[in-house]
Amino acid sequence: STTNNYHIYSEYKFDYDKPVWNYVSKDIYLTNPDDVGNDGYANASRTVKITIKGTDTHSGVKNETLLTAANIAVTVNGTPITSKTLSTASYNSTEKSITYTLTVTNITGDGTLNVELPANSLKDNATNTNVSTNITTSVNIKADNTSPGLTLAVTSPTTAGAYYKAGQVITITATYNEDIYKEITSNTLITTPGDAPVMTLKFGGATSQNTVSCTAFSGNIFTYSYTIKEGDNGMMTVSLATVYDAAGNSKSATDATPNNNIGADTIDPTVGTIKMGFSSGANDYTNNTWTNRDVYIAIDNPGSDSQSGVNTTTYSVTQNGASYITGQTGELTLSEQGTYTIIVTTTDNALPDGNVSTSSTYIVKIDKTAPTIGTLTKKIGTSGGSDYVGTWSGTEGANGASFTGNW
């Protein structure tokens, strides 16, 4: 009788079919024996284990070792991978099959990993061998040697390049382009703020780091929040702890500059100066002295600021204790007599409203009123020859000074 290619003549059985290799499974290991799963990724320093099985539908596979690691060709997109080992054959006498585990390491490049099993590497019990052409089995394992993509960005406040005062809350996002894992040995997918990679930041190249709290998590986007404190000065840089993708590729950040970066300025500026003179632009009036001339006032030096820079230097004036003018930036002429107090302040560019310097004070005194003429009295002595004595007195107009004398 005949059944397909399997013939029975009395007690004789004939098998003309070729045995075949079959792909069974694959396992990808980040750190052996921590299995990520059969649909994962592998990088150059990781291990991929592929299980292959030889079967024959009629006489069964012969328990004979013909396959070796050397005659198995492994490629990734046509690039040969030479780091491979083959386990000892495992023979199943019940189903007459033979199973091997092929271990591949040092995978390079991105793409599909292919295993080519040569002809004559599998024999059945009728001495048929597998087909003379190579069998290529795509095991659909992608070689991944690329670190996760990471984008750091300041999302609040929104004025990129600006400096901010103490008390300003900064929001920073860390966005990865794939799922990330906290530790390579635990394969723990990060899904909560508590498992988020630790972020630290500093300003202006300072040596001390500030730890930043992760406040929210969505997909592969982590949101961190930090409040600028006194002593934070300069542009910000951010560091982020190491995380891993499914293939074990690592990603971290050290002193990175986020998109839309901002700075901190918690230092008050140095106050500017004014000049005072008897003509426009002059500086020949001596502070806090009396004069009977007009005095011209103008900003001389705008001051300085080591971080965000000077925004404005202004002065305000009182006359005899009463407000005269405020917020002045241009030249001002003082003509009326009286005592003027000039207060100068400098404000820097730190947002939202600038740090303000310690003020400096100037005084101008103007007296344009002539003094009141004095009076004269005299006493005449007796004929006995005593001298007579004369006295005089007077007052000065604006400053109220009085004068007396003898003659």
Side-chain angles (χ1 to χ4, degrees):
S1 62
T2 301
T3 303
N4 294 330
N5 290 325
Y6 190 72
H7 305 278
I8 301 176
Y9 298 96
S10 298
E11 72 275 14
Y12 298 103
K13 299 178 181 179
F14 298 88
D15 177 4
Y16 301 112
D17 286 340
K18 303 287 186 180
V20 294
W21 285 113
N22 302 279
Y23 161 69
V24 177
S25 64
K26 62 182 180 292
D27 289 313
I28 303 170
Y29 296 85
L30 296 184
T31 299
N32 197 12
D34 296 314
D35 189 11
V36 172
N38 288 334
D39 293 319
Y41 294 80
N43 70 12
S45 61
R46 298 298 175 255
T47 299
V48 179
K49 293 187 177 182
I50 304 158
T51 301
I52 53 178
K53 184 178 183 179
T55 61
D56 183 80
T57 58
H58 300 302
S59 62
V61 171
K62 188 176 181 63
N63 187 9
E64 184 176 339
T65 301
L66 300 176
L67 187 66
T68 66
N71 61 20
I72 299 175
V74 180
T75 61
V76 175
N77 290 344
T79 301
I81 306 298
T82 58
S83 300
K84 58 187 184 294
T85 58
L86 190 67
S87 69
T88 302
S90 176
Y91 188 74
N92 187 319
S93 58
T94 301
E95 64 179 24
K96 292 184 174 57
S97 64
I98 194 166
T99 303
Y100 293 90
T101 298
L102 175 66
T103 301
V104 184
T105 58
N106 295 330
I107 299 171
T108 58
D110 294 334
T112 300
L113 188 150
N114 294 311
V115 177
E116 297 179 3
L117 303 172
N120 304 316
S121 60
L122 183 66
K123 184 184 293 186
D124 66 16
N125 285 295
T127 70
N128 299 303
T129 58
N130 60 304
V131 294
S132 58
T133 57
N134 289 347
I135 297 174
T136 300
T137 301
S138 176
V139 295
N140 197 30
I141 299 175
K142 294 183 178 180
D144 178 5
N145 296 281
T146 303
S147 295
L150 171 62
T151 300
L152 294 167
V154 175
T155 58
S156 177
T158 58
T159 305
Y163 287 76
Y164 288 84
K165 296 170 59 176
Q168 175 67 52
V169 177
I170 305 171
T171 302
I172 307 164
T173 57
T175 304
Y176 296 90
N177 66 348
E178 58 182 309
D179 289 341
I180 58 172
Y181 295 80
K182 185 176 182 180
E183 296 178 357
I184 193 171
T185 56
S186 67
N187 305 325
T188 302
L189 183 65
I190 298 175
T191 57
T192 65
D195 290 331
V198 175
M199 177 181 286
T200 59
L201 58 80
K202 61 183 180 180
F203 295 89
T207 56
S208 60
Q209 297 273 2
N210 301 287
T211 301
V212 188
S213 300
C214 181
T215 57
F217 169 85
S218 177
N220 293 319
I221 303 175
F222 299 86
T223 301
Y224 297 82
S225 180
Y226 177 77
T227 302
I228 294 175
K229 67 180 187 305
E230 293 293 340
D232 292 338
N233 291 289
M235 295 303 292
M236 181 177 67
T237 57
V238 173
S239 297
L240 208 58
T242 302
V243 293
Y244 305 88
D245 64 13
N249 299 299
S250 63
K251 185 63 178 181
S252 62
T254 302
D255 295 339
T257 300
N259 295 338
N260 304 317
N261 196 29
I262 57 102
D265 180 358
T266 62
I267 300 175
D268 293 341
T270 300
V271 67
T273 60
I274 61 172
K275 54 186 175 182
M276 303 178 291
F278 298 118
S279 60
S280 178
N283 196 25
D284 50 0
Y285 169 77
T286 301
N287 182 47
N288 200 19
T289 59
W290 285 100
T291 181
N292 61 0
R293 301 169 63 182
D294 292 349
V295 177
Y296 296 80
I297 303 172
I299 300 296
D300 185 27
N301 184 318
S304 62
D305 185 80
S306 61
Q307 299 300 319
S308 59
V310 170
N311 185 317
T312 58
T313 293
T314 63
Y315 61 92
S316 298
V317 182
T318 62
Q319 181 186 26
N320 299 325
S323 178
Y324 184 78
I325 195 169
T326 59
Q328 183 73 7
T329 58
E331 188 174 71
L332 177 68
T333 304
L334 302 179
S335 300
E336 299 175 2
Q337 65 180 14
T339 299
Y340 297 87
T341 301
I342 302 102
I343 307 295
V344 182
T345 57
T346 297
T347 304
D348 65 19
N349 287 300
L351 297 178
D353 54 2
N355 299 300
V356 181
S357 69
T358 301
S359 62
S360 60
T361 302
Y362 300 81
I363 295 176
V364 173
K365 300 178 187 179
I366 300 176
D367 178 4
K368 295 185 176 182
T369 302
T372 302
I373 192 168
T375 59
L376 178 64
T377 61
K378 62 181 179 177
K379 296 179 180 179
I380 304 203
T382 65
S383 60
S386 61
D387 295 332
Y388 68 87
V389 177
T391 61
W392 57 270
S393 64
T395 57
E396 203 282 329
N399 60 29
S402 60
F403 304 94
T404 61
N406 299 321
W407 59 274

